[in-house]
Structures are given as structure tokens and as C-alpha cells.
Amino acid sequence: MRIRRREIPVEIPTASMADVAFLLMIFFLVASFYSVTRGIQFSLPKHDEAALTAEPEAATLIEIASNGALTVDSRPMPLDALRAYLEPRLERNPTKSVILQTSLEAPYQAMTDVFDELRQVGVQNLVIPTSTELQMYGLQQLK
């Protein structure tokens, strides 16, 4: 008795290879959307000439030093006194600008604490100056 052998084709079936690649691309596109990290939610201002021509004396300047110490309008101030200092000024002018300048070595926690205080007080115009604005306002870059 002779056993008949069936021949197996020597080609690799690649008909569904494009479908699998397409599905993998869709999967990674959708999965990458969910991996976006969330941080502090604030929007950067648009270029506005009116904001650049504001008088620096009309704004409140808050500086955060490298050790986390606050200086408000050239006076040292603890964080818990910031709200009492800003509330009367914002009652007179609710659109009063607040300039927040931080040192590059300042702790991240100090900046988020100041952000929280400013949000609770109701500051509407928060300015985080660029190096060009620092020169324009005559401010020094904090070390």
C-alpha cells in the first residue's frame, strides 16, 4: 500500500497582512490619545499689543526666589498674606494684571501654591513674562 503525500504550497499567505497593519496603526493612534499627561490647566495668552503697553506700575509683581520665598511689589511676604494683599486691589480694579516671575531654580510646589492662591482670589489677568517682556518692563531675570 502506497501512502500518498499531499504537497504543501511553499508560499506565505500575505493577503491579510495589510489589514493587520492598518488595524495596528489605528490601535496605536487611539491608544496614544489616552496617554496624554495632564498638568496645570492654563492657556497661554495670544499676542496682544494692548497687553504689552500696560503700565508696569498698574500691575502687581510677584517674584518667587530660588528658595521659594515670595516677594510681592518689592516686599517679602508669606504665602498666606498674599490673598489679603490682593483682594482690596482686585475689588477696585477686577482686571488688574498680576505679573508672576519665578526663578529657574524655584521649587515647583511654590509656583503651584501661588497659582492656587491667585485662582482663589479671582485674578483674571495673570502674566508670566518672557525674556523680551522682562526687558521691556525693566525687570531682572531671577537667578
Side-chain angles (χ1 to χ4, degrees), residues 100-122:
L100 179 63
Q101 183 183 7
T102 61
S103 169
L104 295 175
E105 291 85 24
Y108 186 72
Q109 181 67 37
M111 190 172 77
T112 56
D113 289 344
V114 171
F115 269 125
D116 289 340
E117 286 293 321
L118 295 177
R119 182 180 301 142
Q120 290 175 5
V121 171

Side-chain angles (χ1 to χ4, degrees), residues 17-18 26-27 30 33 37-38 45 47 49 58 60 62 75-76 78-79 96 119 124 134 138:
M17 207 54 119
I26 298 247
F27 170 76
V30 171
F33 174 74
T37 57
R38 304 281 184 215
H47 180 70
E49 288 296 326
T60 300
I62 301 174
R75 287 177 276 195
L79 180 65
K96 182 178 183 70
R119 182 180 301 142
Q124 297 174 4
L134 288 174

Side-chain angles (χ1 to χ4, degrees), residues 4-53:
R4 239 172 113 195
R5 291 190 177 186
R6 210 171 42 135
E7 284 193 33
I8 300 174
V10 287
E11 67 183 53
I12 299 173
T14 60
S16 65
M17 207 54 119
D19 294 336
V20 171
F22 180 70
L23 289 175
L24 283 174
M25 284 177 22
I26 298 247
F27 170 76
F28 285 115
L29 284 172
V30 171
S32 68
F33 174 74
Y34 292 112
S35 68
V36 174
T37 57
R38 304 281 184 215
I40 297 175
Q41 299 294 323
F42 65 93
S43 60
L44 295 175
K46 303 282 189 261
H47 180 70
D48 185 13
E49 288 296 326
L52 294 176
T53 58

Side-chain angles (χ1 to χ4, degrees), residues 127-143:
V127 178
I128 302 174
T130 63
S131 57
T132 306
E133 291 172 332
L134 288 174
Q135 291 173 354
M136 186 177 69
Y137 288 132
L139 301 173
Q140 302 276 332
Q141 180 72 29
L142 294 178
K143 303 282 181 194

